[in-house]
Structures are given as structure tokens and as C-alpha cells.
Amino acid sequence: MIGIGSAYSLYHWDLGYNKGTLTDFNVGGGMGLNLRFSNDFRAGINVLFTNGFVADYQADDMRVVRRKLLVMPALTFDILL
């Protein structure tokens, strides 16, 4: 399976003397492979890729300073009862 979608980040920050919220909207996608062992059980691995960000405190506010690729693998188990 292959998928594509959006990634929305809502980052709350608090430095004690200043605080706020940083939002970011970007695209992401994923792919995976599931193996069927029986009609009621499947297992596999999926990987989600998204374009994340690195934030830094600049000029009394938190800002996005650069982008980085995030890769998040996940094992999946589907048990149909």
C-alpha cells in the first residue's frame, strides 16, 4: 500500500518569561507491506515519511529555522475477531 497526505504540527512552547504556539502544515506519505497468514491475521511493516521542522528561539519568538525529513517505521498486526 502507498499513501500521501498532510501533516499538521501544533507546538506549544514555554520559556518561563515568554510562551506561544508554533503551527506548521506540510505533506507526508507512507508505504507498507502486510503479509496475510490467515483470513483473520495479517502482519507487516509500514513507514511514514514527512517533512518536519527544527524550531529555534529568535527575536522573542519561536520560528522554523530549517526542514528535515522524518522517517517513522511501525510494525502492524491486524487481528480480525
Side-chain angles (χ1 to χ4, degrees), residues 9-74:
S9 300
L10 184 65
Y11 177 64
H12 298 287
W13 56 276
D14 186 353
L15 296 176
Y17 57 90
N18 202 355
K19 61 184 171 183
T21 302
L22 178 66
T23 59
D24 185 64
F25 183 77
N26 224 310
V27 296
M31 67 180 117
L33 175 68
N34 284 336
L35 300 174
R36 177 178 281 186
F37 295 101
S38 71
N39 286 338
D40 297 328
F41 178 69
R42 294 184 298 252
I45 187 165
N46 292 298
V47 181
L48 173 68
F49 302 95
T50 189
N51 190 15
F53 65 92
V54 174
D56 194 16
Y57 190 70
Q58 296 178 347
D60 294 332
D61 198 12
M62 193 69 71
R63 298 172 193 241
V64 174
V65 292
R66 66 183 162 92
R67 295 280 174 193
K68 69 177 188 176
L69 179 65
L70 298 175
V71 179
M72 296 171 273

